[in-house]
Amino acid sequence: MYTVCKDFVFAAAHSIRGHTGGCENLHGHNYRVRVCVRAATLDELGMVVDFAAVKEVARQVLERFDHRVLNDIPPFDRVNTTAELLAAHVFGEVAGRLADPRLAVARVEVWENDTSCAIYEE
């Protein structure tokens, strides 16, 4: 199995409903999202997928979060804005946009800062 990963950044604010340690207050992060795509075979060029293709798919998913309040954007207007739930959401959205049947999302990492991240993988 081959895997490639690409990182993306965006700034956003959020609050975690029901949290009692301070994160219930509106605050922001410079998020880093790492999207990893895998394939059992390489394409005719010897690649899993062109990084530009991963960039375009991830842009479609992530651009609606940049410089916004995550709690205002579906599905986060109904579910909490934890890094774990954000990672799972991005995973599903990217997976649904991959056109090549060879490809699958391997994992998505959501970093809230340099030392804290959540990972979703199947």
Side-chain angles (χ1 to χ4, degrees), residues 6 8 10 31-36 54 57-65 70 75-76 82-98 105 107-110 120:
K6 185 143 181 67
F8 306 91
F10 67 92
Y31 287 94
R32 185 173 81 230
V33 176
R34 179 170 291 152
V35 175
C36 299
V54 177
V57 169
R59 182 197 60 76
Q60 294 170 14
V61 174
L62 298 173
E63 70 182 352
R64 67 191 190 117
F65 300 135
L70 298 181
F76 301 106
T82 64
E84 294 88 343
L85 291 173
L86 186 56
H89 176 75
V90 172
F91 186 105
E93 290 292 312
V94 170
R97 287 174 167 78
L98 293 176
V105 179
R107 72 192 274 149
V108 170
E109 301 175 11
V110 173
Y120 184 85

Coordinates of all heavy atoms in Angstrom, one line a residue, residues 6 8 10 31-36 54 57-65 70 75-76 82-98 105 107-110 120:
K6 N -0.8 15.4 2.4 CA -0.7 16.9 2.1 C -1.3 17.7 3.2 O -2.3 17.3 3.7 CB -1.4 17.2 0.8 CG -1.2 18.7 0.3 CD -1.0 18.8 -1.1 CE -0.8 20.3 -1.5 NZ 0.5 20.8 -1.1
F8 N -2.7 21.3 5.0 CA -3.5 22.5 4.7 C -3.6 23.3 6.0 O -3.7 22.7 7.1 CB -4.9 22.1 4.1 CG -4.8 21.2 3.0 CD1 -4.8 19.8 3.1 CD2 -4.6 21.7 1.7 CE1 -4.7 19.0 2.1 CE2 -4.5 20.8 0.6 CZ -4.5 19.5 0.8
F10 N -5.8 26.6 7.9 CA -6.9 27.6 7.9 C -7.1 28.2 9.3 O -6.7 27.5 10.3 CB -8.2 27.1 7.3 CG -8.9 26.1 8.2 CD1 -9.8 26.4 9.1 CD2 -8.6 24.7 8.0 CE1 -10.5 25.4 9.9 CE2 -9.3 23.8 8.7 CZ -10.2 24.1 9.7
Y31 N -5.6 26.1 12.4 CA -5.7 24.7 12.2 C -4.7 24.2 11.1 O -4.5 24.9 10.1 CB -7.1 24.3 11.8 CG -8.1 24.3 12.9 CD1 -8.9 25.5 13.0 CD2 -8.4 23.3 13.7 CE1 -9.9 25.5 14.0 CE2 -9.3 23.3 14.7 CZ -10.1 24.5 14.8 OH -11.1 24.5 15.8
R32 N -4.2 23.1 11.3 CA -3.4 22.4 10.3 C -4.1 21.0 10.0 O -4.4 20.3 11.0 CB -2.0 22.1 10.6 CG -1.2 21.5 9.5 CD 0.3 21.4 9.7 NE 0.6 20.2 10.5 CZ 1.3 20.2 11.6 NH1 1.8 21.3 12.1 NH2 1.5 19.1 12.3
V33 N -4.5 20.8 8.8 CA -5.2 19.5 8.5 C -4.3 18.7 7.5 O -3.9 19.3 6.5 CB -6.5 19.8 7.8 CG1 -7.2 18.5 7.4 CG2 -7.4 20.6 8.8
R34 N -4.0 17.5 7.9 CA -3.2 16.6 7.0 C -4.1 15.6 6.4 O -4.8 14.8 7.2 CB -2.1 16.0 7.8 CG -1.2 15.0 7.0 CD 0.0 14.6 7.7 NE 0.9 15.7 7.8 CZ 1.7 15.9 8.8 NH1 1.9 15.0 9.8 NH2 2.5 17.0 8.8
V35 N -4.2 15.5 5.1 CA -5.0 14.5 4.4 C -4.1 13.5 3.8 O -3.2 13.9 3.0 CB -5.9 15.2 3.4 CG1 -6.7 14.1 2.5 CG2 -6.9 16.2 4.0
C36 N -4.3 12.2 4.1 CA -3.5 11.1 3.6 C -4.4 10.3 2.7 O -5.4 9.8 3.1 CB -2.9 10.3 4.7 SG -1.8 11.3 5.8
V54 N -5.1 16.3 -4.8 CA -5.4 16.3 -3.4 C -5.7 17.7 -2.9 O -6.7 18.0 -2.1 CB -4.3 15.6 -2.5 CG1 -4.6 15.7 -1.1 CG2 -4.0 14.2 -3.0
V57 N -9.2 18.9 -4.0 CA -10.3 18.2 -3.3 C -10.4 18.8 -1.9 O -11.5 19.1 -1.4 CB -10.1 16.7 -3.3 CG1 -11.1 16.0 -2.3 CG2 -10.3 16.1 -4.7
A58 N -9.3 18.9 -1.2 CA -9.2 19.4 0.1 C -9.7 20.9 0.2 O -10.4 21.3 1.1 CB -7.9 19.3 0.7
R59 N -9.3 21.6 -0.8 CA -9.8 23.0 -0.9 C -11.3 23.1 -0.9 O -11.9 23.9 -0.2 CB -9.2 23.7 -2.1 CG -9.6 25.2 -2.2 CD -9.4 25.8 -3.6 NE -10.2 25.1 -4.7 CZ -11.5 25.3 -4.8 NH1 -12.2 26.1 -4.1 NH2 -12.1 24.6 -5.8
Q60 N -11.9 22.2 -1.7 CA -13.4 22.2 -1.8 C -14.0 22.0 -0.4 O -15.1 22.5 -0.1 CB -13.8 21.1 -2.8 CG -13.5 21.4 -4.2 CD -13.7 20.1 -5.1 OE1 -14.4 19.2 -4.7 NE2 -13.2 20.1 -6.3
V61 N -13.4 21.2 0.4 CA -13.9 20.8 1.7 C -13.6 21.9 2.7 O -14.4 22.3 3.5 CB -13.3 19.4 2.2 CG1 -13.8 19.1 3.6 CG2 -13.8 18.3 1.2
L62 N -12.4 22.4 2.7 CA -11.9 23.2 3.8 C -12.1 24.7 3.6 O -12.2 25.5 4.6 CB -10.4 23.0 4.0 CG -10.0 21.6 4.5 CD1 -8.5 21.5 4.5 CD2 -10.6 21.3 5.8
E63 N -12.3 25.2 2.4 CA -12.4 26.6 2.2 C -13.6 27.3 2.9 O -13.6 28.4 3.3 CB -12.5 27.0 0.7 CG -13.8 26.5 0.0 CD -13.8 26.9 -1.5 OE1 -12.9 27.5 -2.0 OE2 -14.7 26.4 -2.2
R64 N -14.7 26.5 3.2 CA -15.8 27.1 3.8 C -15.6 27.3 5.3 O -16.4 28.0 6.0 CB -17.1 26.2 3.6 CG -17.0 24.9 4.3 CD -18.2 24.0 3.8 NE -18.3 22.8 4.5 CZ -19.3 22.5 5.3 NH1 -20.4 23.3 5.4 NH2 -19.3 21.4 6.0
F65 N -14.5 26.8 5.9 CA -14.2 26.9 7.3 C -13.2 28.1 7.5 O -13.2 28.6 8.7 CB -13.5 25.7 7.9 CG -14.3 24.5 7.8 CD1 -13.8 23.3 7.4 CD2 -15.7 24.5 8.1 CE1 -14.6 22.1 7.3 CE2 -16.4 23.3 8.1 CZ -15.9 22.1 7.7
L70 N -16.8 28.0 13.3 CA -17.1 26.6 12.9 C -18.5 26.3 13.4 O -19.3 25.5 12.7 CB -16.1 25.6 13.4 CG -14.7 25.8 12.9 CD1 -13.8 24.7 13.5 CD2 -14.7 25.8 11.4
P75 N -22.0 20.5 9.5 CA -22.9 20.0 10.5 C -22.6 20.4 11.9 O -23.2 20.0 12.9 CB -22.6 18.5 10.4 CG -21.1 18.4 10.2 CD -20.9 19.6 9.2
F76 N -21.6 21.4 12.0 CA -21.2 21.8 13.3 C -22.1 22.8 14.0 O -21.9 23.2 15.2 CB -19.7 22.3 13.3 CG -18.8 21.3 12.7 CD1 -18.3 21.4 11.4 CD2 -18.5 20.2 13.5 CE1 -17.5 20.4 10.9 CE2 -17.6 19.2 13.0 CZ -17.1 19.3 11.7
T82 N -15.2 19.6 18.0 CA -14.0 19.0 18.4 C -13.1 18.7 17.3 O -13.5 18.5 16.1 CB -14.2 17.7 19.3 OG1 -14.8 16.8 18.4 CG2 -15.1 18.0 20.5
A83 N -11.8 18.6 17.5 CA -10.8 18.2 16.5 C -11.2 16.8 16.0 O -11.0 16.5 14.8 CB -9.4 18.3 17.0
E84 N -11.6 15.9 16.8 CA -12.0 14.6 16.5 C -13.1 14.5 15.4 O -13.1 13.9 14.4 CB -12.4 13.7 17.7 CG -11.3 13.5 18.7 CD -11.1 14.6 19.7 OE1 -11.7 15.7 19.5 OE2 -10.5 14.3 20.7
L85 N -14.2 15.3 15.7 CA -15.4 15.4 14.8 C -15.0 16.1 13.5 O -15.5 15.7 12.5 CB -16.6 16.0 15.5 CG -17.2 15.2 16.7 CD1 -18.2 15.9 17.4 CD2 -17.7 13.8 16.1
L86 N -14.2 17.1 13.6 CA -13.7 17.8 12.4 C -12.9 16.8 11.5 O -13.1 16.8 10.3 CB -12.9 19.0 12.8 CG -12.5 19.9 11.6 CD1 -13.7 20.4 10.8 CD2 -11.7 21.1 12.2
A87 N -12.0 16.0 12.1 CA -11.2 15.1 11.4 C -12.1 14.1 10.7 O -11.9 13.7 9.5 CB -10.2 14.4 12.3
A88 N -13.1 13.5 11.4 CA -14.1 12.6 10.8 C -14.9 13.2 9.6 O -15.1 12.6 8.6 CB -15.0 12.0 11.8
H89 N -15.3 14.4 9.8 CA -16.0 15.1 8.8 C -15.2 15.3 7.5 O -15.7 15.0 6.4 CB -16.5 16.5 9.3 CG -17.2 17.3 8.3 ND1 -18.5 17.0 7.9 CD2 -16.8 18.4 7.6 CE1 -18.9 17.9 6.9 NE2 -17.8 18.7 6.7
V90 N -14.0 15.8 7.7 CA -13.1 16.0 6.5 C -12.8 14.7 5.8 O -12.8 14.6 4.6 CB -11.8 16.8 7.0 CG1 -10.8 16.8 5.8 CG2 -12.1 18.2 7.5
F91 N -12.6 13.7 6.6 CA -12.3 12.3 6.0 C -13.5 11.9 5.1 O -13.3 11.6 4.0 CB -12.2 11.3 7.2 CG -11.8 9.9 6.8 CD1 -10.5 9.5 7.0 CD2 -12.7 9.1 6.2 CE1 -10.2 8.2 6.6 CE2 -12.4 7.8 5.8 CZ -11.1 7.3 6.0
G92 N -14.7 12.0 5.6 CA -15.9 11.6 4.8 C -16.1 12.5 3.6 O -16.4 12.0 2.5
E93 N -15.9 13.8 3.7 CA -16.0 14.7 2.6 C -15.0 14.5 1.5 O -15.3 14.5 0.3 CB -16.0 16.2 3.1 CG -17.2 16.5 3.9 CD -18.5 16.6 3.1 OE1 -18.5 17.2 2.0 OE2 -19.5 16.0 3.6
V94 N -13.7 14.3 1.9 CA -12.7 14.1 0.9 C -12.9 12.7 0.3 O -12.8 12.6 -1.0 CB -11.3 14.2 1.6 CG1 -10.2 13.7 0.6 CG2 -11.0 15.6 2.0
A95 N -13.2 11.7 1.0 CA -13.5 10.4 0.5 C -14.6 10.4 -0.6 O -14.5 9.8 -1.6 CB -13.8 9.4 1.6
G96 N -15.6 11.2 -0.4 CA -16.7 11.3 -1.3 C -16.4 12.0 -2.6 O -17.1 12.0 -3.5
R97 N -15.2 12.7 -2.6 CA -14.8 13.5 -3.8 C -13.7 12.9 -4.6 O -13.3 13.4 -5.6 CB -14.4 14.9 -3.3 CG -15.6 15.8 -2.9 CD -15.1 17.1 -2.3 NE -16.1 18.1 -2.2 CZ -17.0 18.2 -1.2 NH1 -16.9 17.2 -0.2 NH2 -17.9 19.1 -1.1
L98 N -13.2 11.8 -4.1 CA -12.1 11.1 -4.9 C -12.6 10.4 -6.1 O -13.5 9.5 -6.0 CB -11.3 10.1 -4.0 CG -10.5 10.7 -2.8 CD1 -9.9 9.6 -2.0 CD2 -9.5 11.7 -3.3
V105 N -9.1 7.4 1.2 CA -8.5 8.3 2.3 C -8.0 7.3 3.4 O -8.7 6.4 3.8 CB -9.6 9.2 2.9 CG1 -8.9 10.1 4.0 CG2 -10.1 10.1 1.8
R107 N -6.2 8.5 6.2 CA -6.3 9.2 7.5 C -6.4 10.7 7.3 O -5.9 11.2 6.3 CB -5.2 8.8 8.5 CG -3.9 9.5 8.1 CD -2.7 8.9 8.9 NE -2.5 9.5 10.2 CZ -2.0 8.9 11.3 NH1 -1.7 7.6 11.2 NH2 -1.9 9.5 12.4
V108 N -7.0 11.3 8.3 CA -7.0 12.8 8.4 C -6.6 13.2 9.8 O -7.1 12.7 10.8 CB -8.4 13.4 8.1 CG1 -8.5 14.9 8.4 CG2 -8.8 13.1 6.6
E109 N -5.7 14.1 9.9 CA -5.2 14.7 11.1 C -5.6 16.1 11.2 O -5.5 16.9 10.2 CB -3.7 14.6 11.2 CG -3.1 13.2 11.1 CD -1.6 13.3 11.1 OE1 -0.9 14.3 11.3 OE2 -1.0 12.2 10.8
V110 N -6.1 16.5 12.3 CA -6.5 17.9 12.6 C -5.7 18.4 13.8 O -5.8 17.9 14.9 CB -8.0 18.1 12.8 CG1 -8.3 19.5 13.3 CG2 -8.8 17.7 11.6
Y120 N -8.5 10.8 12.5 CA -9.5 9.8 12.1 C -9.0 9.0 11.0 O -8.5 9.5 10.0 CB -10.8 10.6 11.7 CG -11.9 9.6 11.4 CD1 -12.8 9.2 12.4 CD2 -12.1 9.1 10.1 CE1 -13.8 8.3 12.2 CE2 -13.2 8.2 9.9 CZ -14.0 7.8 10.9 OH -15.0 6.9 10.7

